[in-house]
Amino acid sequence: MLKRFFSYYQPYKSLFILDFSCAIIAAVLELAFPLAVNRVVDDLLPSSNWNWILWGCISLFAIYIISAVLHYVVTYWGHKLGINIETDMRKELFTHVQRLSFGFFDNNKTGHLVSRMTNDLMDIGEIAHHGPEDLFIAIMTLTGAFALMFSINSQLAVLTFVIVPLIICLSLYFSKKMTVAFKRFFADIANFNARVENNVSGMRVVQAFANEEHEIAQFNESNSRFRKSKLVAYRIMAWNSSVSYILMKVVTLFVLLCGTWFVINKQMTYGEFIAFVLLSNVFLGPIQQINAVIEMYPKGIAGFKRYVEMLETEPDVADAPDASDVKHLKGNIKYRDVSFSYEGKENVLDNINLTIRAGETIALVGPSGAGKTTICSLLPRFYDINSGSLTIDGIEIKQMTLKSLRSQIGIVQQDVYLFDGTIRENIAYGNLDASEDEIWEAAKRAQLEDIILSQTEGMNTLIGERGVKLSGGQKQRLSIARMFLKNPSILILDEATSALDTETEVAIQHALSELSQGRTTLVIAHRLATIKNADRIVVVTENGIVEQGNHDELLAVKGAYKRLHLAQFGV
């Protein structure tokens, strides 16, 4: 774990050396001050030479100026080191999340993922800066202070040092407790974020059902749990801090008392006594630093463990070692004995066999839950089949790279996801290299031009989060424009018009018909009126594919399709 943690320092070795060097020099200068005071009291003061005393104080002031500059470097550049490491980790985690499969997102809350990329990594950044540096400087300063104290009075130095192991043992004891507390604390932060994200995203539903009080009650419960876990963690920290404080003040009083006894018995000079008292304070500083690192460690390591845990989550769907890029697919699709289940549960699809010719429009109909969407989701490998074979143009889809496969499959869904940005940005998402003319052409073909021109800002109109400022029909047209720009070989229409009014549906159907031209198209539909002109209709039930044919052929069979037709039209 530590080896992996320190690997993130590799790109910033020079910054680490600068920070570390300045911290070491600052620590050495801190040790020099008590010795300088010793010389002033024992040598310069009895001589009554004012000039020497003045130059001695000027020298001390110069040491303070140098120390201040060094502390600036340590504070700013040291934190820059931590921030750089935190930024790299966040980039690595975000990049890894982009590769994870749909199954991962099915089982993980958005708020939890956001928490791992923000709160967890901020604490890791702090320990990346303070951890190694503070620990090393503390040990070095502790050793140096003890050596100087020993040179002044070995007996008093040894007696003072006896308390150190006790303080460190107490810190380690509390550290174990804090590790457990902070692990729970991070989990509660993630749940809290998930609750807030859920509420804000679904605010229209909340207010439509007048369930604000219920949401407030749920929030209060999460908020209270968050508060309690935080209080538990900080209560342990408070005990650690208080006990350590008492022990360190006992050390100070012990030095004052014993030092006075040594001075009275002529075993120490006044200058040595003052130097020893100052050194004892320097000596206690590193103990506080070690304490702070021990307090910080549980938070940092708990966050780093959660970070590593996510990095080690392998995607369920990934490129095969021998996968190759495919440049252009015609769209001949073949499902052969395909079976699939979600997370190893009962099969959703059992031995599905389906052949689709290039350029053909296939409509999938049947009851909800029969597996229509699943059949389509397997094609771009959002999920991998359990058994059987799925080919496009005779090539197993697992032999294609995910990027090249998915770049040639377009999906228009009922629930359109749009990004918080402008109309232009959302259309251009279909092809990030598209020119302005190509974006406008896509908008025209999706019958979106008039809507854009009616907006004051035109293409620069902000559409709000998830396109909240647009109507359902406008969202659909925008998603179709995006698909025209992508220009895929294979098109999947997943109930793309089922939530629209009749007039809007007619306009969208016209745009979809143009979009389907020359492409292999799979249409999922519940409203049979929208697909009766399909080249072939495939009826999917819980028993798999039970019927295939065009509209008239299936009506003549008087089977499952006929029953669906009767249910919708009564004839």
Side-chain angles (χ1 to χ4, degrees):
M1 187 69 75
L2 287 174
K3 185 180 178 183
R4 185 164 187 170
F5 181 73
F6 284 117
S7 68
Y8 288 96
Y9 286 83
Q10 192 66 27
Y12 308 106
K13 280 191 287 189
S14 55
L15 193 58
F16 179 73
I17 290 166
L18 172 69
D19 175 44
F20 222 70
S21 303
C22 290
I24 289 170
I25 297 166
V28 170
L29 292 178
E30 197 73 28
L31 290 171
F33 177 68
L35 298 178
V37 172
N38 183 4
R39 296 277 70 83
V40 169
V41 173
D42 279 351
D43 299 337
L44 300 180
L45 197 58
S47 71
S48 300
N49 189 329
W50 178 250
N51 285 335
W52 280 108
I53 292 170
L54 184 62
W55 276 109
C57 290
I58 289 170
S59 300
L60 277 175
F61 183 69
I63 290 172
Y64 283 142
I65 293 293
I66 295 167
S67 189
V69 172
L70 292 170
H71 276 104
Y72 173 84
V73 172
V74 170
T75 303
Y76 177 72
W77 294 96
H79 275 105
K80 185 177 180 180
L81 170 68
I83 291 166
N84 285 350
I85 289 170
E86 177 190 333
T87 303
D88 286 352
M89 287 181 169
R90 190 172 287 121
K91 179 183 175 183
E92 185 179 2
L93 186 58
F94 185 81
T95 303
H96 180 71
V97 166
Q98 303 307 301
R99 295 193 304 107
L100 293 175
S101 312
F102 275 33
F104 174 83
F105 298 102
D106 292 344
N107 296 311
N108 285 274
K109 296 177 182 176
T110 306
H112 286 200
L113 300 180
V114 171
S115 182
R116 291 194 182 194
M117 289 189 197
T118 51
N119 299 323
D120 290 16
L121 288 178
M122 279 192 274
D123 288 310
I124 294 170
E126 278 299 297
I127 202 168
H129 165 218
H130 290 291
E133 175 195 294
D134 285 7
L135 198 58
F136 180 81
I137 301 303
I139 292 168
M140 191 200 77
T141 308
L142 195 67
T143 307
F146 178 74
L148 292 172
M149 289 162 70
F150 193 85
S151 68
I152 293 170
N153 189 302
S154 58
Q155 292 170 287
L156 186 54
V158 171
L159 289 169
T160 306
F161 192 78
V162 168
I163 199 77
V164 174
L166 180 60
I167 294 172
I168 292 173
C169 284
L170 275 168
S171 291
L172 291 171
Y173 167 75
F174 284 117
S175 174
K176 286 181 182 177
K177 285 185 166 291
M178 281 191 289
T179 300
V180 175
F182 277 112
K183 191 173 181 182
R184 181 181 166 188
F185 171 58
F186 280 129
D188 284 340
I189 287 179
N191 285 327
F192 177 80
N193 286 345
R195 166 58 55 192
V196 173
E197 190 270 337
N198 226 15
N199 175 263
V200 173
S201 298
M203 187 54 73
R204 283 165 180 75
V205 176
V206 172
Q207 293 187 357
F209 282 90
N211 277 342
E212 293 90 343
E213 293 301 320
H214 169 74
E215 287 296 320
I216 291 168
Q218 294 271 38
F219 173 83
N220 287 341
E221 186 182 330
S222 295
N223 201 22
S224 177
R225 198 160 47 241
F226 179 28
R227 172 184 171 275
K228 283 176 185 174
S229 64
K230 205 169 183 179
L231 284 175
V232 167
Y234 283 105
R235 184 167 64 238
I236 297 167
M237 284 178 70
W239 270 108
N240 185 25
S241 177
S242 299
V243 172
S244 298
Y245 176 81
I246 289 292
L247 288 172
M248 283 190 276
K249 292 308 173 188
V250 167
V251 172
T252 305
L253 290 172
F254 179 78
V255 169
L256 283 172
L257 190 65
C258 293
T260 305
W261 187 87
F262 280 114
V263 169
I264 291 169
N265 286 280
K266 309 297 182 186
Q267 292 180 30
M268 285 178 82
T269 65
Y270 286 107
E272 288 174 336
F273 174 60
I274 293 170
F276 200 98
V277 171
L278 290 172
L279 280 168
S280 71
N281 285 326
V282 173
F283 178 75
L284 291 173
I287 297 174
Q288 288 175 313
Q289 268 186 311
I290 291 170
N291 234 349
V293 171
I294 289 170
E295 279 186 5
M296 195 191 306
Y297 176 81
K299 288 176 77 176
I301 208 65
F304 189 66
K305 280 180 179 176
R306 282 161 58 84
Y307 167 78
V308 169
E309 182 185 294
M310 183 169 283
L311 275 188
E312 289 179 346
T313 302
E314 290 298 326
D316 301 326
V317 178
D319 284 337
D322 57 345
S324 57
D325 287 333
V326 285
K327 299 301 180 187
H328 178 73
L329 294 173
K330 293 177 182 176
N332 289 298
I333 302 165
K334 191 163 190 176
Y335 293 77
R336 189 184 301 145
D337 296 327
V338 169
S339 295
F340 173 77
S341 64
Y342 290 100
E343 298 177 4
K345 296 176 184 174
E346 188 180 345
N347 277 359
V348 178
L349 302 176
D350 237 330
N351 296 317
I352 294 295
N353 288 282
L354 177 63
T355 301
I356 304 167
R357 295 181 297 277
E360 191 177 18
T361 297
I362 295 291
L364 299 172
V365 301
S368 295
K372 301 184 298 296
T373 299
T374 302
I375 288 172
C376 293
S377 296
L378 295 176
L379 198 58
R381 287 190 68 200
F382 292 150
Y383 305 92
D384 267 341
I385 62 176
N386 295 353
S387 63
S389 167
L390 178 47
T391 62
I392 302 176
D393 296 349
I395 307 167
E396 279 282 354
I397 59 170
K398 287 186 180 180
Q399 297 305 310
M400 308 176 193
T401 59
L402 285 169
K403 186 172 182 180
S404 65
L405 169 66
R406 290 173 181 173
S407 67
Q408 299 191 58
I409 299 175
I411 303 172
V412 180
Q413 295 174 304
Q414 175 188 334
D415 183 20
V416 178
Y417 191 94
L418 300 175
F419 295 96
D420 182 15
T422 64
I423 291 175
R424 176 186 285 102
E425 288 167 347
N426 274 278
I427 295 175
Y429 206 78
N431 179 3
L432 298 176
D433 298 320
S435 65
E436 186 72 7
D437 288 342
E438 288 172 327
I439 293 170
W440 271 106
E441 178 61 26
K444 288 174 187 174
R445 294 180 71 183
Q447 301 189 15
L448 195 60
E449 185 181 22
D450 291 343
I451 294 166
I452 295 170
L453 293 174
S454 68
Q455 303 294 321
T456 310
E457 300 293 324
M459 277 282 189
N460 295 318
T461 302
L462 291 169
I463 62 172
E465 191 172 3
R466 293 182 66 98
V468 71
K469 295 181 181 179
L470 303 178
S471 69
Q474 289 169 342
K475 287 185 195 178
Q476 279 293 12
R477 291 181 205 202
L478 205 156
S479 73
I480 293 167
R482 192 158 64 184
M483 208 52 61
F484 271 117
L485 210 54
K486 183 175 182 180
N487 193 25
S489 303
I490 298 167
L491 187 63
I492 297 171
L493 306 177
D494 190 351
E495 300 191 59
T497 61
S498 63
L500 305 176
D501 62 83
T502 307
E503 188 179 343
T504 306
E505 184 183 3
V506 170
I508 299 295
Q509 281 291 356
H510 186 273
L512 288 174
S513 295
E514 186 178 345
L515 181 60
S516 301
Q517 291 298 316
R519 309 176 205 275
T520 303
T521 306
L522 284 76
V523 183
I524 299 171
H526 279 121
R527 289 163 67 173
L528 302 185
T530 62
I531 50 90
K532 68 178 183 179
N533 294 322
D535 296 324
R536 187 154 38 108
I537 298 168
V538 177
V539 183
V540 184
T541 69
E542 62 275 6
N543 298 318
I545 295 173
V546 294
E547 291 176 3
Q548 293 187 52
N550 63 34
H551 175 71
D552 294 329
E553 288 171 349
L554 292 178
L555 283 180
V557 170
K558 297 183 180 180
Y561 182 76
K562 175 73 172 178
R563 287 194 295 275
L564 288 171
H565 194 270
L566 283 170
Q568 285 190 25
F569 301 104
V571 289

